[in-house]
Amino acid sequence: MLICLNGKFVPKEKAVVSVFDHGLLYGDGVFEGIRSYNGRIFKLDEHVDRLYDSAKALTLSIPVSKEKMKAEIILSVKKNKLKDAYIRVVVTRGPGDLGLNPTKCPKAFYFIIAASISLYPAKFYKQGLPVIITSTRRNTPDALSPRVKSLNYLNNILGKLEANNYGVLEAVMLNREGYVAECTADNIFMVSKGVLYTPPTYVGALDGITRAMVVELAAGMSIKVKEVPFTACDLYVAEEVFLTGTAAEIMPIINIDARKIGTGKPGPLTVALLEKYKQITRTEGTEVYS
Ligand code: PXG
């Protein structure tokens, strides 16, 4: 496996980060998780735009242009001869001294990993996934904005741990006021009386690229979409619930906190959206091998 490290391709064993890197010492950095399907990178521009916006919010200057970054992402897939890949792009503040002052880090450090993707077991797309609501709250926008895809995922990891403890694979996170924010690495949707709901990003959710795709797909199917805050109670009584993300795509949720959601089976709108999403990922994207 070859890793792109500050623009140079090196074998995995040589792809190492300094113990003085502020990404490691303080979580001072940003990342993206991108996928390629059959040799096409899905939503490359959107992911790179979000990476640069996340970095800008932290006044972290990425040492290469967006165009160069995109070319290196494409090359990372190509050099590893991958068709269906999971691509992780990480930019850190870079090596500095022991002290959190970012001005002591002269140059940001970045790397790109193109690997094969580990997916949720296929049975969950057919049967639906059970989840819990974790007691760990999502970061608040007035502290660290959840719109910044930063290297600070500890709240989410604590949520994931709680999910593990309850024997499920994902957890819904609420915000400080108790409104549904998102899951630990996915956005959330529900269907109620035929209307599709997702929390607005100000509630405390990442501006998900799959989320945006689902909103667009629903509009194309003449389904009304409302971005308004809602609570756990709304989820419990919803007709359908699903989560969205680059890794998960569209995953039906059929059980929350051991309560059956809807009929207890993936709902018709969830299934229709998943089908459409699959079609689009099969046909759209930036060609790697053209
Ligand atoms: N919320 C959070 C907190 C996320 O981290 C999403 C929502 C979904 O966003 P996208 O743009 O992917 O639809 C994410 C995405 C990983 C991994 O390896 C994490 C994400 C995506 C891909 C891989 O942990 N997070």
Side-chain angles (χ1 to χ4, degrees):
M1 182 193 276
L2 291 172
I3 311 288
C4 180
L5 209 71
N6 293 320
K8 295 205 170 57
F9 283 87
V10 299
K12 179 169 120 177
E13 299 70 32
K14 296 238 163 87
V16 291
V17 180
S18 164
V19 293
F20 291 98
D21 194 296
H22 280 210
L24 176 63
L25 289 175
Y26 302 109
D28 188 353
V30 295
F31 80 102
E32 273 301 319
I34 313 173
R35 269 175 89 164
S36 74
Y37 294 86
N38 198 22
R40 280 190 216 91
I41 303 177
F42 192 59
K43 300 277 175 199
L44 179 60
D45 288 351
E46 285 82 350
H47 281 284
V48 170
D49 283 348
R50 189 170 66 188
L51 180 75
Y52 279 69
D53 283 349
S54 292
K56 191 173 180 186
L58 305 182
T59 67
L60 171 57
S61 163
I62 301 180
V64 289
S65 68
K66 281 189 188 178
E67 286 317 308
K68 184 143 194 282
M69 181 62 84
K70 282 181 212 170
E72 288 177 1
I73 292 171
I74 294 168
L75 207 53
S76 299
V77 177
K78 207 177 206 167
K79 280 197 185 275
N80 288 293
K81 301 186 175 62
L82 293 165
K83 286 193 145 189
D84 297 298
Y86 172 62
I87 307 153
R88 168 64 64 93
V89 186
V90 180
V91 184
T92 76
R93 189 76 66 177
D97 62 12
L98 292 179
L100 51 84
N101 192 347
T103 61
K104 298 287 173 61
C105 304
K107 196 168 179 205
F109 185 94
Y110 74 94
F111 55 89
I112 305 164
I113 307 170
S116 47
I117 182 145
S118 74
L119 299 167
Y120 278 112
K123 67 169 189 185
F124 290 120
Y125 292 91
K126 288 212 178 76
Q127 293 170 9
L129 188 76
V131 300
I132 57 152
I133 298 178
T134 172
S135 55
T136 305
R137 299 299 171 107
R138 188 68 173 98
N139 287 20
T140 59
D142 56 337
L144 172 61
S145 172
R147 294 193 59 190
V148 177
K149 203 160 160 56
S150 81
L151 297 182
N152 287 258
Y153 259 57
L154 271 178
N155 295 42
N156 305 45
I157 288 166
L158 291 173
K160 193 75 150 182
L161 269 173
E162 200 176 327
N164 292 344
N165 291 342
Y166 283 95
V168 296
L169 296 179
E170 191 41 294
V172 177
M173 302 188 82
L174 309 179
N175 74 1
R176 191 171 49 189
E177 283 79 37
Y179 290 104
V180 173
E182 57 178 337
C183 297
T184 69
D186 304 288
N187 290 107
I188 191 163
F189 284 81
M190 68 169 188
V191 181
S192 178
K193 299 191 172 58
V195 177
L196 189 57
Y197 291 86
T198 193
T201 55
Y202 67 75
V203 168
L206 184 75
D207 199 355
I209 289 163
T210 320
R211 174 184 182 275
M213 187 77 244
V214 165
V215 169
E216 199 183 308
L217 287 176
M221 294 161 77
S222 302
I223 307 279
K224 195 166 177 190
V225 184
K226 286 192 181 170
E227 292 188 32
V228 292
F230 53 84
T231 64
C233 174
D234 297 308
L235 286 180
Y236 292 146
V237 301
E239 288 140 31
E240 299 180 36
V241 176
F242 60 88
L243 52 84
T244 66
T246 297
E249 300 181 322
I250 296 172
M251 172 61 82
I253 301 298
I254 41 82
N255 187 300
I256 302 178
D257 293 340
R259 293 161 179 250
K260 187 163 90 174
I261 302 302
T263 62
K265 295 204 166 64
L269 184 55
T270 309
V271 172
L273 285 165
L274 177 56
E275 270 316 302
K276 283 201 187 296
Y277 187 78
K278 283 204 155 139
Q279 262 169 29
I280 287 177
T281 53
R282 259 187 251 131
T283 51
E284 272 187 15
T286 306
E287 289 274 2
V288 173
Y289 298 98
S290 59

